[in-house]
Amino acid sequence: MSETLADLAAQLRGSRGFAHKRDIAAVSRALSRHLPEGWAAAGQATALGDDCAALPDGDGHLLFAIEGFVEDFIEAMPWFAGYCGVMVNVSDIYAMGGRPIAVVDALWSAGATPGDAVLEGMAAASRAYGVPIVGGHSNYRSARGQLAVAILGRARHLISSFAARPGDVLVVATDLRGAYQEPFPYWNASTDAPGERLRADLELLPLLAEDGLCDAGKDISMAGPVGTALMLLECSGCGARIDLDSLPRPPDTPLSRWLVSFPSYGFVLSVRPGNAQAVLARFASRGIEARTCGQVTKDRSVVLTMGRESMPFWDLDREGFILDGDMPAPVAAAEGQS
């Protein structure tokens, strides 16, 4: 059965990953009612929508982020959930041009099983990514398993969700040397890979920022490559044309599944046209599949193309995604970067 562009667009809009991202706006509204005006963003170089909070610190920024995990994932795959607790936080730090320093966790479990399996997975990822677990909180007398992991990192030059510009080229980079962690939509290119390779592959991101090749991007989340691009574009006040056929994708994987998949290594970058080939070459040198998949536009509409088909997907002037129409100003920290 062929996949039409209209069907794929409808699937994306109704996906679990899109629903979770759209909840961000409601959380922001709730917090804003109870905090003093300007308090939440005081001293930050970034705003709601970035992968980490970025706090000015000397000649760079401290990066601070946290991730939580849904119950069904923890119950079905406790070891892999623990591994992902470290892995996704590490990805958030590198996505902003930083390098991780340490993580802490909060774990709830009904006894040592499956709590121990979660901790074993976290320890494996800590070793693979070279990031120590330095503390946290535990409760082994909880009715249901829950996990949250927070991370601290540091960046010399930021990659921000607020720095995409009209005329930029959208580059999507994904490590396809893996397999699905069945039955979930998680593309795992991490647990069987050498830790040295994982760390060197991620080191590409801060080097791109420090070498002036990229200042705008995000890591691919549960919203998939299109949803991640949508968040980046909304934060930057732009739109784009995105070619679904050009997305890096594992052979024989239906586009309908890939568009709602979360890869262990995946980034959407907005790159000045003159830097695009250099950026693609950096990823190619590490065996990472990277392709240009679209162009950033001045109007705030996102258009999807596939083959000869083309259709409007999201009008950010009429419908917010994670910001609910409340557009923060672009970050000053990103100004002046190439």
Side-chain angles (χ1 to χ4, degrees), residues 283-333:
F283 285 109
S285 72
R286 296 292 315 164
I288 304 295
E289 186 77 17
R291 299 180 188 172
T292 58
C293 299
Q295 186 170 35
V296 179
T297 58
K298 185 177 182 180
D299 62 273
R300 298 184 63 214
S301 64
V302 177
V303 175
L304 301 181
T305 67
M306 185 177 71
R308 296 182 179 180
E309 292 186 90
S310 174
M311 68 171 292
F313 177 63
W314 209 288
D315 185 344
L316 289 164
D317 280 325
R318 296 186 177 184
E319 182 183 13
F321 186 48
I322 62 171
L323 300 181
D324 199 34
D326 182 17
M327 282 297 301
V331 251

Side-chain angles (χ1 to χ4, degrees), residues 20-36:
H20 281 303
K21 294 304 178 185
R22 301 204 73 185
D23 289 343
I24 294 172
V27 173
S28 176
R29 285 196 302 272
L31 279 176
S32 66
R33 292 196 298 267
H34 304 292
L35 294 174

